[in-house]
Amino acid sequence: MDLINWEERPFVPVEQMSEYRARDRDTARKYGVVVRSAAIANVDYKIRYAKLNGTQSMQPPPSCGRIFLGNIVVRNLGTPNQYETWMPDHVFEDLYEAVG
């Protein structure tokens, strides 16, 4: 996964995020077979959430006592239930694999 310029990273558009496929049926059933994702830190997601949570569906950011690299993940793509969340990179890698 390519890292995004630090100034743009919190606000990367969904269309520019890479596609990933759920590794197991349960994850696919709950959140969709395909998600979009980009590498961003938890603090970047907190900035994104503060600016965009009024205009799109988002899960609240994790605490930011320490900064961790992870992934913004857009789940339930193209459905009324589409939403964004953030997760640590090791959790993301357990749940998803790159498409193609």
Side-chain angles (χ1 to χ4, degrees):
M1 172 181 299
D2 294 329
L3 292 178
I4 300 160
N5 175 300
W6 70 271
E7 296 168 318
E8 299 170 1
R9 189 170 45 227
F11 308 112
V12 60
V14 173
E15 304 78 37
Q16 289 182 9
M17 295 179 190
S18 300
E19 289 188 339
Y20 293 83
R21 180 175 291 117
R23 291 185 182 270
D24 62 75
R25 288 183 188 175
D26 189 45
T27 300
R29 182 181 53 77
K30 288 180 183 176
Y31 309 113
V33 174
V34 175
V35 299
R36 287 200 174 253
S37 180
I40 68 171
N42 56 341
V43 71
D44 292 325
Y45 184 72
K46 183 177 182 178
I47 293 166
R48 181 182 181 97
Y49 182 85
K51 183 175 181 179
L52 301 177
N53 77 4
T55 61
Q56 56 197 49
S57 182
M58 302 175 78
Q59 294 293 311
S63 64
C64 293
R66 293 178 36 199
I67 298 173
F68 294 100
L69 188 58
N71 292 75
I72 183 172
V73 183
V74 182
R75 292 174 154 175
N76 297 318
L77 281 171
T79 73
N81 297 325
Q82 178 175 310
Y83 71 95
E84 296 182 3
T85 192
W86 182 91
M87 60 184 66
D89 53 1
H90 67 279
V91 174
F92 179 80
E93 291 166 4
D94 285 347
L95 296 175
Y96 299 101
E97 62 189 3
V99 171

